[in-house]
Amino acid sequence: MNYFHFNSYVDYFTSEYSWWFLMKLLEDGRLPVDYEIIFQIISTLFLVTAALIVYRRGGLLPLVFLANPLVFELAYSQLRSALAISILYLVYLFFRRSTYIAIALCLFAATIHTTMVIFLAIYILCIMTADEGGRLSRWPLEVRLALVLGAGVVMGLAIGPLRETLLNLIGDRRAEYLDLAASPLYLSFWVGLLGLFLLDFRHTFRSVEGRFSLFILSLVTVNVFTGGYSQRFLALGYPFVIATIFLARPSLKSFAIPALSIYMVAQWIYYFNGFAG
């Protein structure tokens, strides 16, 4: 709790005031429930909202792919991220047309975890680059595709070689966090999936889930070379990636689903081997 300081308006975001406030309530015993119940509610909220995003695009079958170590770790080990992204998921699912409610919830999520600002910015870019109704819809598809992929590249650099410099500029305490980058072998599947989506980019780009997935996967691809920490971004965007797979054409889907199934088995083996040392 000693990390938190609120000397300016920016500090309410960089020090994530809403999470600090919740933790203080729990620490001081001012909530009528035990902290474990609160934590379980957060985990359940994340799993339910993630499942709804996948279900609305693919039905029941894709829900099997939520049984992934990335999802498990986020839901039960990264509660702050899980709570913040769950709020954005709720906005995406139910409040996109309720402007004031959406803005209030998005600001609330950003004071729980500042990474949500990035996701909001990318979501806005995805809306602007839509084929129909987007502010940039008259631009050539290839240019809009380059914008989304370029945003992923820039963010990959920002959380990779430029991470410490950028966080120090705003006085963020996470500038001193340890290197948590995954190996190129572990990330290779997601690089391949990006290539698969790009083979049929005209179809992939039609949905907001597809555009968001292109951003996430281009970020991961850059991190293979820069050593940035992309697992959390993968976990936060994972429901959209699954939805994109099930929105794909049958020819692409028939390859991606078996490949993801095999990769998930490898992920769990890797995950449990980590516990074994």
Side-chain angles (χ1 to χ4, degrees):
M1 304 298 286
N2 293 331
Y3 277 117
F4 297 93
H5 303 284
F6 306 103
N7 300 316
S8 69
Y9 288 115
V10 174
D11 290 339
Y12 283 87
F13 291 94
T14 59
S15 293
E16 290 137 340
Y17 174 79
S18 295
W19 181 256
W20 172 87
F21 184 71
L22 175 61
M23 292 302 101
K24 282 296 292 181
L25 290 178
L26 290 173
E27 183 183 50
D28 297 340
R30 288 190 284 172
L31 291 178
V33 293
D34 187 76
Y35 74 92
E36 291 183 349
I37 295 176
I38 297 295
F39 291 168
Q40 185 58 55
I41 289 173
I42 293 172
S43 299
T44 302
L45 177 64
F46 168 72
L47 293 173
V48 170
T49 52
L52 286 173
I53 288 174
V54 173
Y55 174 77
R56 73 186 298 188
R57 288 303 192 180
L60 291 174
L61 177 61
L63 297 181
V64 173
F65 293 100
L66 290 177
N68 188 295
L70 287 171
V71 175
F72 179 81
E73 276 289 306
L74 181 59
Y76 291 98
S77 297
Q78 301 173 24
L79 291 171
R80 187 161 52 89
S81 296
L83 176 58
I85 199 64
S86 295
I87 294 170
L88 295 192
Y89 287 170
L90 286 172
V91 172
Y92 173 74
L93 289 164
F94 303 114
F95 299 112
R96 279 185 289 178
R97 298 183 183 276
S98 305
T99 305
Y100 293 111
I101 295 176
I103 290 174
L105 288 174
C106 288
L107 289 174
F108 179 52
T111 60
I112 294 172
H113 203 299
T114 49
T115 303
M116 298 307 110
V117 174
I118 297 172
F119 280 88
L120 286 170
I122 299 306
Y123 179 74
I124 291 171
L125 177 62
C126 289
I127 295 298
M128 292 176 65
T129 53
D131 288 338
E132 297 180 4
R135 288 181 178 271
L136 306 179
S137 59
R138 294 184 178 181
W139 290 21
L141 174 59
E142 291 78 8
V143 175
R144 288 180 280 132
L145 174 65
L147 277 176
V148 173
L149 294 176
V153 171
V154 171
M155 189 51 56
L157 295 173
I159 66 172
L162 301 178
R163 176 176 175 273
E164 184 175 348
T165 301
L166 293 174
L167 291 179
N168 277 322
L169 284 175
I170 61 173
D172 196 298
R173 68 188 185 281
R174 287 161 294 186
E176 300 177 1
Y177 274 19
L178 297 175
D179 180 15
L180 299 172
S183 69
L185 180 61
Y186 184 86
L187 298 176
S188 60
F189 170 80
W190 306 107
V191 178
L193 187 60
L194 174 63
L196 202 62
F197 286 160
L198 290 176
L199 286 176
D200 193 16
F201 70 87
R202 294 184 180 276
H203 184 82
T204 302
F205 208 80
R206 288 179 183 175
S207 66
V208 66
E209 292 88 356
R211 295 190 293 278
F212 198 84
S213 297
L214 289 171
F215 162 76
I216 291 291
L217 295 177
S218 62
L219 180 154
V220 172
T221 299
V222 170
N223 284 165
V224 171
F225 304 99
T226 64
Y229 177 40
S230 54
Q231 293 99 304
R232 181 173 296 178
F233 279 84
L234 261 177
L236 294 169
Y238 185 77
F240 291 91
V241 176
I242 299 303
T244 301
I245 290 175
F246 281 83
L247 286 169
R249 297 185 192 276
S251 57
L252 189 151
K253 195 187 308 183
S254 63
F255 181 83
I257 292 175
L260 178 58
S261 302
I262 295 170
Y263 179 69
M264 277 181 56
V265 173
Q267 281 181 291
W268 279 113
I269 293 172
Y270 180 85
Y271 184 76
F272 286 119
N273 281 344
F275 282 118

